[in-house]
Amino acid sequence: MTVASLRGFTYRYPNAGVPALDNVDLDISDGVTLVAGASGSGKSSLLRVLNGLVPHFHGGTVSGFAEVCGRDVVTTPTRVLATHVGFVFQDPELQAVYPSVERDIAFGLENIGTSPALMVRTVGDALERAGIAHLRKRAVATLSGGERQRLAIAGVLAMRPRLVVLDEPLSQLDADGAAALVTTLVDLAKQGTAVVVAEHRFERLAIVCDRHIEVDGGRAVGTVESTAVRPAVVRSATAMVPARSRGPVAWRVNQLAAGPARSPVLEGVTLEGRRGEIMALMGPNGGGKTTLLRTLAGLLTPISGIVERAPGRVAFLPQNPMALLHRASVAAEIAWTVRRDASAHDASDLMADLGLAHLAQRDPRDLSSGERQRAAIAAVLAGSPSIALLDEPTRGMDDGARDALCRVVLRMRADGCSIVLATHDINLARTVADRIVRVGAGVASECIAAGVA
Protein backbone atom coordinates (compact mmCIF):
# COMPACT_ATOMS: atom_id res chain seq x y z
CA MET A 1 0.00 0.00 0.00
CA THR A 2 1.24 3.48 -0.90
CA VAL A 3 1.73 5.73 2.15
CA ALA A 4 3.32 8.76 0.45
CA SER A 5 3.34 10.21 -3.06
CA LEU A 6 5.19 13.19 -4.56
CA ARG A 7 4.48 14.50 -8.06
CA GLY A 8 6.61 17.22 -9.60
CA PHE A 9 7.50 18.35 -6.08
CA THR A 10 10.01 21.18 -5.94
CA TYR A 11 11.10 22.96 -2.78
CA ARG A 12 13.46 25.88 -2.23
CA TYR A 13 14.59 27.07 1.23
CA PRO A 14 14.23 30.82 1.94
CA ASN A 15 16.93 32.82 0.15
CA ALA A 16 18.45 29.66 -1.37
CA GLY A 17 19.95 29.91 -4.83
CA VAL A 18 18.98 26.41 -5.97
CA PRO A 19 16.11 24.11 -4.97
CA ALA A 20 16.74 21.53 -2.25
CA LEU A 21 14.25 19.22 -3.99
CA ASP A 22 13.83 19.45 -7.74
CA ASN A 23 10.79 18.00 -9.56
CA VAL A 24 10.60 14.84 -7.46
CA ASP A 25 8.23 12.07 -8.56
CA LEU A 26 8.11 9.33 -5.97
CA ASP A 27 5.88 6.72 -4.32
CA ILE A 28 6.68 5.22 -0.93
CA SER A 29 4.93 1.99 0.05
CA ASP A 30 4.80 -0.34 3.03
CA GLY A 31 7.99 -2.07 4.06
CA VAL A 32 11.44 -0.60 4.64
CA THR A 33 12.64 2.12 2.25
CA LEU A 34 16.30 3.14 2.30
CA VAL A 35 17.16 6.69 1.19
CA ALA A 36 20.82 7.22 0.25
CA GLY A 37 22.90 10.03 -1.22
CA ALA A 38 25.80 12.37 -0.52
CA SER A 39 25.75 15.05 2.18
CA GLY A 40 23.70 18.00 0.94
CA SER A 41 21.98 15.94 -1.76
CA GLY A 42 18.49 16.59 -0.36
CA LYS A 43 17.86 13.44 1.73
CA SER A 44 16.91 15.31 4.90
CA SER A 45 14.71 17.75 2.98
CA LEU A 46 12.88 14.83 1.36
CA LEU A 47 12.31 13.21 4.73
CA ARG A 48 11.01 16.47 6.20
CA VAL A 49 8.36 16.64 3.52
CA LEU A 50 6.92 13.45 4.98
CA ASN A 51 6.02 15.11 8.30
CA GLY A 52 5.32 18.60 6.94
CA LEU A 53 8.36 20.40 8.39
CA VAL A 54 9.02 21.17 4.74
CA PRO A 55 7.46 23.60 4.07
CA HIS A 56 5.50 24.54 7.23
CA PHE A 57 8.43 24.97 9.63
CA HIS A 58 11.26 25.95 7.30
CA GLY A 59 9.26 28.24 5.02
CA GLY A 60 10.45 28.72 1.46
CA THR A 61 8.60 28.05 -1.79
CA VAL A 62 6.86 24.91 -3.03
CA SER A 63 5.44 23.69 -6.27
CA GLY A 64 3.99 20.32 -7.22
CA PHE A 65 2.08 17.91 -5.00
CA ALA A 66 2.89 15.79 -1.92
CA GLU A 67 0.52 13.49 -0.05
CA VAL A 68 1.30 11.45 3.08
CA CYS A 69 -1.13 9.00 4.71
CA GLY A 70 -3.88 10.37 2.48
CA ARG A 71 -3.28 14.01 3.50
CA ASP A 72 -2.02 16.87 1.40
CA VAL A 73 1.26 17.99 2.98
CA VAL A 74 0.92 21.64 1.99
CA THR A 75 -2.60 22.10 3.36
CA THR A 76 -2.41 19.81 6.42
CA PRO A 77 -0.99 21.26 9.67
CA THR A 78 2.12 19.54 11.03
CA ARG A 79 0.31 18.77 14.30
CA VAL A 80 -2.12 16.60 12.31
CA LEU A 81 0.61 14.90 10.27
CA ALA A 82 2.51 14.21 13.52
CA THR A 83 -0.25 11.86 14.67
CA HIS A 84 0.43 9.66 11.63
CA VAL A 85 4.17 10.16 11.00
CA GLY A 86 6.83 9.53 13.63
CA PHE A 87 10.12 11.31 12.96
CA VAL A 88 13.57 10.67 14.46
CA PHE A 89 15.90 13.58 13.68
CA GLN A 90 19.63 13.55 13.01
CA ASP A 91 20.19 15.49 16.24
CA PRO A 92 18.61 13.45 19.07
CA GLU A 93 20.00 15.96 21.58
CA LEU A 94 17.37 18.40 20.33
CA GLN A 95 14.44 15.97 20.48
CA ALA A 96 14.11 15.40 24.23
CA VAL A 97 11.53 17.53 26.07
CA TYR A 98 11.46 16.25 29.65
CA PRO A 99 14.46 15.70 31.94
CA SER A 100 13.75 12.00 32.65
CA VAL A 101 13.70 9.10 30.18
CA GLU A 102 10.33 7.69 31.18
CA ARG A 103 8.61 11.08 31.17
CA ASP A 104 10.12 12.07 27.84
CA ILE A 105 8.77 8.95 26.11
CA ALA A 106 5.35 9.67 27.60
CA PHE A 107 5.28 13.24 26.24
CA GLY A 108 3.57 12.42 22.94
CA LEU A 109 1.08 10.11 24.62
CA GLU A 110 0.12 12.86 27.07
CA ASN A 111 -0.56 15.20 24.17
CA ILE A 112 -3.11 12.83 22.64
CA GLY A 113 -4.85 12.13 25.95
CA THR A 114 -3.73 8.54 26.55
CA SER A 115 -5.03 7.08 29.82
CA PRO A 116 -2.44 6.68 32.60
CA ALA A 117 -2.74 2.87 32.67
CA LEU A 118 -2.30 2.52 28.92
CA MET A 119 0.52 5.06 28.98
CA VAL A 120 2.54 3.00 31.46
CA ARG A 121 2.18 -0.14 29.32
CA THR A 122 2.96 1.71 26.08
CA VAL A 123 6.05 3.42 27.49
CA GLY A 124 7.32 0.10 28.80
CA ASP A 125 6.81 -1.54 25.41
CA ALA A 126 8.62 1.32 23.63
CA LEU A 127 11.55 1.06 26.05
CA GLU A 128 11.85 -2.66 25.37
CA ARG A 129 11.63 -2.29 21.60
CA ALA A 130 14.30 0.42 21.60
CA GLY A 131 16.55 -1.69 23.83
CA ILE A 132 16.74 0.84 26.68
CA ALA A 133 14.50 -0.63 29.38
CA HIS A 134 17.49 -0.37 31.75
CA LEU A 135 17.51 3.42 31.27
CA ARG A 136 13.89 3.93 32.33
CA LYS A 137 14.68 5.92 35.50
CA ARG A 138 17.73 7.77 34.16
CA ALA A 139 18.00 11.53 33.68
CA VAL A 140 18.27 12.47 29.99
CA ALA A 141 21.26 14.71 30.77
CA THR A 142 23.29 11.67 31.86
CA LEU A 143 22.79 9.72 28.62
CA SER A 144 25.41 9.23 25.94
CA GLY A 145 24.74 10.30 22.36
CA GLY A 146 23.85 6.75 21.32
CA GLU A 147 21.53 6.36 24.29
CA ARG A 148 19.79 9.62 23.38
CA GLN A 149 19.40 8.31 19.85
CA ARG A 150 17.57 5.26 21.18
CA LEU A 151 15.48 7.46 23.50
CA ALA A 152 14.29 9.47 20.50
CA ILE A 153 13.40 6.23 18.72
CA ALA A 154 11.47 4.97 21.75
CA GLY A 155 9.47 8.21 21.88
CA VAL A 156 8.42 7.72 18.26
CA LEU A 157 7.59 4.02 18.70
CA ALA A 158 5.35 4.84 21.66
CA MET A 159 3.05 6.84 19.36
CA ARG A 160 2.54 3.83 17.06
CA PRO A 161 2.44 5.90 13.86
CA ARG A 162 1.47 4.67 10.40
CA LEU A 163 4.84 5.82 9.00
CA VAL A 164 8.19 6.00 10.84
CA VAL A 165 10.88 8.24 9.33
CA LEU A 166 14.45 8.10 10.64
CA ASP A 167 17.29 10.41 9.58
CA GLU A 168 20.73 8.81 10.12
CA PRO A 169 19.55 6.65 13.07
CA LEU A 170 22.64 4.40 13.11
CA SER A 171 25.18 7.22 13.23
CA GLN A 172 25.79 7.07 16.98
CA LEU A 173 24.91 3.47 17.79
CA ASP A 174 27.36 0.74 18.72
CA ALA A 175 27.27 -2.55 16.82
CA ASP A 176 24.75 -4.19 19.17
CA GLY A 177 22.51 -1.12 19.15
CA ALA A 178 22.60 -0.86 15.37
CA ALA A 179 21.73 -4.54 14.95
CA ALA A 180 18.87 -4.24 17.45
CA LEU A 181 17.47 -1.17 15.70
CA VAL A 182 17.51 -2.83 12.28
CA THR A 183 15.64 -5.80 13.78
CA THR A 184 13.09 -3.42 15.31
CA LEU A 185 12.54 -1.67 11.98
CA VAL A 186 12.03 -4.97 10.16
CA ASP A 187 9.54 -6.05 12.83
CA LEU A 188 7.68 -2.74 12.47
CA ALA A 189 7.40 -3.27 8.73
CA LYS A 190 6.09 -6.80 9.22
CA GLN A 191 3.43 -5.44 11.59
CA GLY A 192 2.21 -2.94 8.95
CA THR A 193 4.16 0.23 9.80
CA ALA A 194 5.92 1.77 6.81
CA VAL A 195 9.57 2.69 7.52
CA VAL A 196 11.76 5.23 5.70
CA VAL A 197 15.43 5.48 6.70
CA ALA A 198 18.12 7.84 5.40
CA GLU A 199 21.64 6.51 6.01
CA HIS A 200 25.20 6.86 4.72
CA ARG A 201 26.37 3.53 6.14
CA PHE A 202 23.75 1.05 5.11
CA GLU A 203 25.52 -2.31 5.18
CA ARG A 204 22.89 -3.68 7.56
CA LEU A 205 19.92 -1.92 6.00
CA ALA A 206 20.75 -2.84 2.42
CA ILE A 207 20.20 -6.50 3.30
CA VAL A 208 16.70 -5.98 4.74
CA CYS A 209 15.21 -3.01 2.86
CA ASP A 210 12.42 -3.50 0.32
CA ARG A 211 13.44 -0.58 -1.89
CA HIS A 212 16.24 1.93 -2.31
CA ILE A 213 15.93 5.60 -3.29
CA GLU A 214 19.05 7.48 -4.39
CA VAL A 215 18.92 11.28 -4.00
CA ASP A 216 21.33 13.45 -5.98
CA GLY A 217 21.17 17.22 -6.41
CA GLY A 218 17.64 17.35 -5.03
CA ARG A 219 16.34 14.69 -7.42
CA ALA A 220 15.26 11.14 -6.69
CA VAL A 221 17.43 9.65 -9.40
CA GLY A 222 16.64 6.01 -8.87
CA THR A 223 14.09 3.84 -7.12
CA VAL A 224 14.97 0.17 -7.16
CA GLU A 225 13.78 -2.94 -5.39
CA SER A 226 15.98 -4.46 -2.70
CA THR A 227 17.24 -7.23 -5.00
CA ALA A 228 19.19 -4.58 -6.91
CA VAL A 229 20.79 -3.04 -3.83
CA ARG A 230 24.34 -4.07 -3.14
CA PRO A 231 25.50 -3.88 0.47
CA ALA A 232 28.18 -1.29 1.13
CA VAL A 233 31.70 -2.66 1.11
CA VAL A 234 33.77 -2.37 4.27
CA ARG A 235 36.76 -0.26 3.36
CA SER A 236 40.39 -1.23 3.60
CA ALA A 237 41.90 -1.39 7.07
CA THR A 238 45.23 -0.09 5.77
CA ALA A 239 46.28 3.22 7.32
CA MET A 240 46.42 6.17 4.91
CA VAL A 241 49.97 7.01 6.03
CA PRO A 242 52.29 5.00 8.24
CA ALA A 243 52.48 5.82 11.92
CA ARG A 244 55.59 7.65 13.04
CA SER A 245 57.42 8.07 16.31
CA ARG A 246 55.41 9.90 18.95
CA GLY A 247 56.37 13.15 20.63
CA PRO A 248 56.25 14.17 24.31
CA VAL A 249 53.19 13.61 26.51
CA ALA A 250 50.39 16.04 25.63
CA TRP A 251 47.86 14.89 28.25
CA ARG A 252 47.62 12.36 31.02
CA VAL A 253 44.94 11.02 33.39
CA ASN A 254 45.83 9.00 36.47
CA GLN A 255 43.34 6.96 38.51
CA LEU A 256 40.55 9.06 37.02
CA ALA A 257 36.96 8.74 38.20
CA ALA A 258 34.49 10.89 36.27
CA GLY A 259 30.86 11.12 35.27
CA PRO A 260 27.94 13.52 34.98
CA ALA A 261 26.23 14.71 38.16
CA ARG A 262 29.14 13.28 40.20
CA SER A 263 27.99 9.77 39.33
CA PRO A 264 31.04 7.81 38.09
CA VAL A 265 30.96 6.41 34.58
CA LEU A 266 34.74 5.94 34.56
CA GLU A 267 36.73 4.70 37.55
CA GLY A 268 40.46 4.15 38.03
CA VAL A 269 41.39 5.11 34.44
CA THR A 270 45.08 5.76 33.77
CA LEU A 271 45.92 6.79 30.20
CA GLU A 272 48.10 9.24 28.29
CA GLY A 273 48.29 10.73 24.81
CA ARG A 274 51.29 12.19 23.02
CA ARG A 275 51.94 14.94 20.53
CA GLY A 276 51.87 13.71 16.94
CA GLU A 277 49.53 10.82 17.81
CA ILE A 278 45.95 9.87 16.94
CA MET A 279 44.08 7.81 19.52
CA ALA A 280 40.66 6.32 18.78
CA LEU A 281 38.27 5.58 21.66
CA MET A 282 35.81 2.80 20.86
CA GLY A 283 33.28 0.88 22.91
CA PRO A 284 29.57 0.55 23.70
CA ASN A 285 27.08 3.40 24.03
CA GLY A 286 27.23 4.76 27.56
CA GLY A 287 30.66 3.22 28.15
CA GLY A 288 32.36 6.52 28.97
CA LYS A 289 33.95 7.76 25.73
CA THR A 290 32.26 11.16 25.84
CA THR A 291 32.86 11.42 29.58
CA LEU A 292 36.59 10.95 29.00
CA LEU A 293 36.69 13.55 26.22
CA ARG A 294 34.73 16.11 28.26
CA THR A 295 37.03 15.56 31.23
CA LEU A 296 40.12 16.02 29.06
CA ALA A 297 38.59 19.21 27.66
CA GLY A 298 38.05 20.60 31.16
CA LEU A 299 34.26 20.64 30.74
CA LEU A 300 33.70 17.97 33.39
CA THR A 301 35.36 18.14 36.80
CA PRO A 302 36.85 14.77 37.87
CA ILE A 303 35.32 13.07 40.86
CA SER A 304 38.81 11.93 41.78
CA GLY A 305 42.18 11.39 40.17
CA ILE A 306 44.50 13.65 38.19
CA VAL A 307 44.13 15.28 34.77
CA GLU A 308 47.17 16.97 33.21
CA ARG A 309 47.39 18.84 29.92
CA ALA A 310 50.41 20.41 28.26
CA PRO A 311 50.16 24.17 27.52
CA GLY A 312 48.27 25.14 24.37
CA ARG A 313 44.73 25.38 23.02
CA VAL A 314 42.40 22.41 23.43
CA ALA A 315 39.85 22.00 20.59
CA PHE A 316 36.68 20.06 21.46
CA LEU A 317 34.01 18.86 19.04
CA PRO A 318 30.81 17.74 20.84
CA GLN A 319 28.42 15.20 19.35
CA ASN A 320 25.88 17.92 18.56
CA PRO A 321 27.49 20.40 16.12
CA MET A 322 24.73 22.96 16.66
CA ALA A 323 26.06 23.46 20.19
CA LEU A 324 28.97 25.28 18.50
CA LEU A 325 27.39 27.03 15.52
CA HIS A 326 25.83 30.34 16.49
CA ARG A 327 27.08 32.86 13.94
CA ALA A 328 25.63 33.99 10.64
CA SER A 329 27.96 32.07 8.33
CA VAL A 330 30.47 29.22 8.25
CA ALA A 331 33.27 31.71 7.56
CA ALA A 332 32.26 33.78 10.59
CA GLU A 333 32.38 30.70 12.82
CA ILE A 334 35.94 29.92 11.75
CA ALA A 335 37.02 33.56 11.98
CA TRP A 336 35.80 33.65 15.59
CA THR A 337 37.94 30.62 16.49
CA VAL A 338 41.15 32.12 15.10
CA ARG A 339 40.53 35.76 16.02
CA ARG A 340 43.54 35.76 18.38
CA ASP A 341 45.59 33.12 16.58
CA ALA A 342 48.62 34.14 14.55
CA SER A 343 48.19 31.06 12.33
CA ALA A 344 44.79 32.18 11.05
CA HIS A 345 46.07 32.12 7.47
CA ASP A 346 45.20 28.43 7.26
CA ALA A 347 41.45 28.97 7.77
CA SER A 348 40.58 29.19 4.07
CA ASP A 349 42.71 26.12 3.32
CA LEU A 350 40.89 24.19 6.02
CA MET A 351 37.49 25.11 4.55
CA ALA A 352 38.67 23.97 1.14
CA ASP A 353 40.07 20.72 2.53
CA LEU A 354 36.73 19.91 4.18
CA GLY A 355 34.69 20.81 1.07
CA LEU A 356 33.20 23.95 2.64
CA ALA A 357 34.53 26.69 0.36
CA HIS A 358 31.24 27.00 -1.54
CA LEU A 359 29.34 27.13 1.77
CA ALA A 360 31.48 29.82 3.41
CA GLN A 361 28.72 32.45 3.46
CA ARG A 362 25.86 30.08 4.25
CA ASP A 363 24.11 30.07 7.63
CA PRO A 364 25.13 26.81 9.38
CA ARG A 365 21.52 26.23 10.43
CA ASP A 366 20.52 25.91 6.76
CA LEU A 367 23.06 23.16 6.01
CA SER A 368 22.56 19.42 5.95
CA SER A 369 23.68 17.39 8.95
CA GLY A 370 26.90 16.28 7.25
CA GLU A 371 27.68 19.83 6.13
CA ARG A 372 27.03 21.18 9.65
CA GLN A 373 29.35 18.52 11.03
CA ARG A 374 32.12 19.61 8.69
CA ALA A 375 31.49 23.28 9.57
CA ALA A 376 31.79 22.49 13.28
CA ILE A 377 35.00 20.54 12.69
CA ALA A 378 36.47 23.47 10.76
CA ALA A 379 35.42 25.86 13.51
CA VAL A 380 37.19 23.90 16.26
CA LEU A 381 40.28 22.79 14.31
CA ALA A 382 41.14 26.14 12.70
CA GLY A 383 44.45 27.56 13.88
CA SER A 384 46.89 25.32 15.69
CA PRO A 385 45.34 23.44 18.63
CA SER A 386 47.76 21.41 20.72
CA ILE A 387 45.08 18.86 21.57
CA ALA A 388 42.01 18.02 19.44
CA LEU A 389 39.16 16.03 21.02
CA LEU A 390 36.55 14.92 18.48
CA ASP A 391 33.33 13.17 19.57
CA GLU A 392 31.81 11.11 16.72
CA PRO A 393 33.40 13.35 14.04
CA THR A 394 32.06 11.37 11.05
CA ARG A 395 28.43 11.60 12.18
CA GLY A 396 26.28 12.37 9.13
CA MET A 397 29.24 12.23 6.72
CA ASP A 398 29.42 10.46 3.39
CA ASP A 399 32.61 8.68 2.31
CA GLY A 400 34.05 11.72 0.53
CA ALA A 401 33.65 13.91 3.60
CA ARG A 402 35.15 11.22 5.82
CA ASP A 403 38.19 10.95 3.54
CA ALA A 404 38.61 14.73 3.74
CA LEU A 405 38.48 14.57 7.54
CA CYS A 406 41.12 11.82 7.52
CA ARG A 407 43.47 14.00 5.50
CA VAL A 408 42.97 16.94 7.86
CA VAL A 409 43.64 14.99 11.06
CA LEU A 410 46.67 13.25 9.55
CA ARG A 411 48.14 16.62 8.61
CA MET A 412 47.47 17.86 12.15
CA ARG A 413 49.22 14.79 13.51
CA ALA A 414 52.22 15.58 11.32
CA ASP A 415 52.24 19.09 12.81
CA GLY A 416 52.42 17.66 16.33
CA CYS A 417 48.80 17.83 17.47
CA SER A 418 47.56 15.16 19.88
CA ILE A 419 44.21 13.93 18.53
CA VAL A 420 41.63 11.81 20.34
CA LEU A 421 38.60 10.49 18.43
CA ALA A 422 35.57 8.89 20.08
CA THR A 423 33.86 6.89 17.36
CA HIS A 424 31.81 3.85 16.36
CA ASP A 425 33.21 4.18 12.83
CA ILE A 426 35.67 1.29 12.64
CA ASN A 427 36.80 2.35 9.16
CA LEU A 428 37.83 5.76 10.51
CA ALA A 429 39.71 4.20 13.44
CA ARG A 430 41.53 1.70 11.24
CA THR A 431 42.45 4.35 8.69
CA VAL A 432 43.99 7.02 10.91
CA ALA A 433 44.52 5.80 14.49
CA ASP A 434 47.94 4.98 15.91
CA ARG A 435 46.24 3.41 18.94
CA ILE A 436 42.72 2.10 19.56
CA VAL A 437 41.53 2.16 23.15
CA ARG A 438 38.38 0.38 24.26
CA VAL A 439 36.26 2.32 26.75
CA GLY A 440 33.49 0.48 28.56
CA ALA A 441 32.31 -0.86 31.91
CA GLY A 442 34.04 2.07 33.59
CA VAL A 443 37.54 1.31 32.31
CA ALA A 444 39.75 2.18 29.35
CA SER A 445 42.28 -0.28 27.93
CA GLU A 446 44.37 -0.42 24.78
CA CYS A 447 42.88 -3.29 22.85
CA ILE A 448 44.17 -3.43 19.28
CA ALA A 449 46.68 -1.69 17.07
CA ALA A 450 45.44 0.37 14.15
CA GLY A 451 44.64 -1.79 11.14
CA VAL A 452 44.11 -4.98 13.14
CA ALA A 453 40.67 -6.61 13.20
Side-chain angles (χ1 to χ4, degrees):
M1 180 182 295
T2 300
V3 294
S5 294
L6 286 75
R7 293 290 179 268
F9 192 85
T10 298
Y11 172 71
R12 190 187 305 265
Y13 285 100
N15 304 316
V18 297
L21 297 172
D22 188 7
N23 198 34
V24 174
D25 288 311
L26 185 65
D27 289 314
I28 295 174
S29 304
D30 284 331
V32 178
T33 300
L34 171 65
V35 180
S39 294
S41 62
K43 300 190 305 299
S44 293
S45 297
L46 176 60
L47 265 56
R48 289 174 183 234
V49 173
L50 301 179
N51 73 341
L53 288 179
V54 166
H56 295 295
F57 176 79
H58 293 284
T61 58
V62 171
S63 62
F65 173 76
E67 182 181 88
V68 178
C69 298
R71 290 162 176 80
D72 187 304
V73 169
V74 175
T75 61
T76 304
T78 52
R79 58 181 172 78
V80 175
L81 288 173
T83 63
H84 302 277
V85 182
F87 201 104
V88 179
F89 294 90
Q90 290 173 325
D91 304 317
E93 302 87 354
L94 306 179
Q95 201 157 343
V97 177
Y98 280 106
S100 70
V101 167
E102 190 173 32
R103 188 73 191 279
D104 193 65
I105 296 172
F107 174 71
L109 299 172
E110 292 173 341
N111 285 337
I112 60 174
T114 304
S115 69
L118 179 58
M119 193 181 305
V120 170
R121 292 196 301 271
T122 303
V123 168
D125 178 64
L127 284 162
E128 291 287 348
R129 295 171 82 185
I132 55 171
H134 61 292
L135 302 177
R136 183 171 196 145
K137 300 299 182 182
R138 284 273 297 275
V140 174
T142 68
L143 302 182
S144 71
E147 289 169 337
R148 289 189 184 217
Q149 193 109 28
R150 291 204 239 180
L151 170 60
I153 292 166
V156 165
L157 296 181
M159 297 294 291
R160 299 181 178 176
R162 175 68 179 87
L163 169 64
V164 172
V165 181
L166 306 99
D167 202 353
E168 300 284 350
L170 306 180
S171 63
Q172 295 186 76
L173 298 183
D174 57 29
D176 289 343
L181 175 59
V182 170
T183 298
T184 296
L185 298 182
V186 171
D187 289 344
L188 281 172
K190 289 178 179 177
Q191 295 163 14
T193 300
V195 177
V196 177
V197 189
E199 264 295 340
H200 285 301
R201 299 182 185 102
F202 47 79
E203 299 96 305
R204 298 176 188 273
L205 286 165
I207 298 171
V208 302
C209 71
D210 298 289
R211 67 198 61 82
H212 173 203
I213 298 169
E214 189 77 20
V215 182
D216 182 27
R219 290 177 174 266
V221 296
T223 305
V224 296
E225 295 305 307
S226 58
T227 53
V229 179
R230 295 183 179 179
V233 177
V234 176
R235 310 179 96 198
S236 170
T238 304
M240 293 181 73
V241 298
R244 62 189 187 88
S245 59
R246 298 178 293 167
V249 172
W251 58 267
R252 176 185 289 119
V253 298
N254 187 32
Q255 291 299 308
L256 174 70
R262 309 296 291 176
S263 177
V265 175
L266 298 172
E267 293 188 89
V269 173
T270 296
L271 194 65
E272 68 178 25
R274 294 179 175 268
R275 293 183 61 85
E277 175 189 66
I278 300 175
M279 178 188 295
L281 307 179
M282 304 195 74
N285 292 134
K289 301 184 297 297
T290 295
T291 294
L292 180 56
L293 287 188
R294 287 176 56 81
T295 305
L296 290 176
L299 299 174
L300 192 62
T301 302
I303 298 170
S304 63
I306 297 172
V307 179
E308 298 175 342
R309 290 177 292 270
R313 181 166 72 86
V314 178
F316 176 66
L317 175 77
Q319 289 182 350
N320 176 18
M322 289 309 294
L324 295 176
L325 304 174
H326 305 294
R327 288 168 179 80
S329 69
V330 174
E333 294 286 357
I334 297 171
W336 179 259
T337 302
V338 299
R339 64 194 183 283
R340 298 189 184 96
D341 195 323
S343 62
H345 64 275
D346 73 345
S348 60
D349 292 339
L350 181 59
M351 279 197 290
D353 290 343
L354 290 171
L356 294 169
H358 66 295
L359 302 173
Q361 300 309 316
R362 289 277 300 277
D363 188 322
R365 289 164 293 193
D366 292 337
L367 303 179
S368 73
S369 178
E371 291 167 339
R372 284 200 306 271
Q373 186 77 353
R374 282 182 279 154
I377 290 170
V380 299
L381 296 186
S384 301
S386 297
I387 301 172
L389 310 170
L390 310 180
D391 202 352
E392 298 290 353
T394 57
R395 170 180 170 178
M397 285 188 178
D398 57 27
D399 287 343
R402 179 171 55 186
D403 289 345
L405 172 67
C406 290
R407 290 190 291 270
V408 167
V409 297
L410 288 169
R411 186 176 67 241
M412 293 177 65
R413 182 184 75 171
D415 291 340
C417 184
S418 176
I419 301 163
V420 187
L421 313 166
T423 184
H424 292 297
D425 185 346
I426 186 60
N427 286 323
L428 173 69
R430 288 172 171 171
T431 300
V432 302
D434 300 300
R435 299 160 62 196
I436 299 178
V437 174
R438 180 173 178 79
V439 182
V443 300
S445 57
E446 193 156 352
C447 57
I448 53 176
V452 178

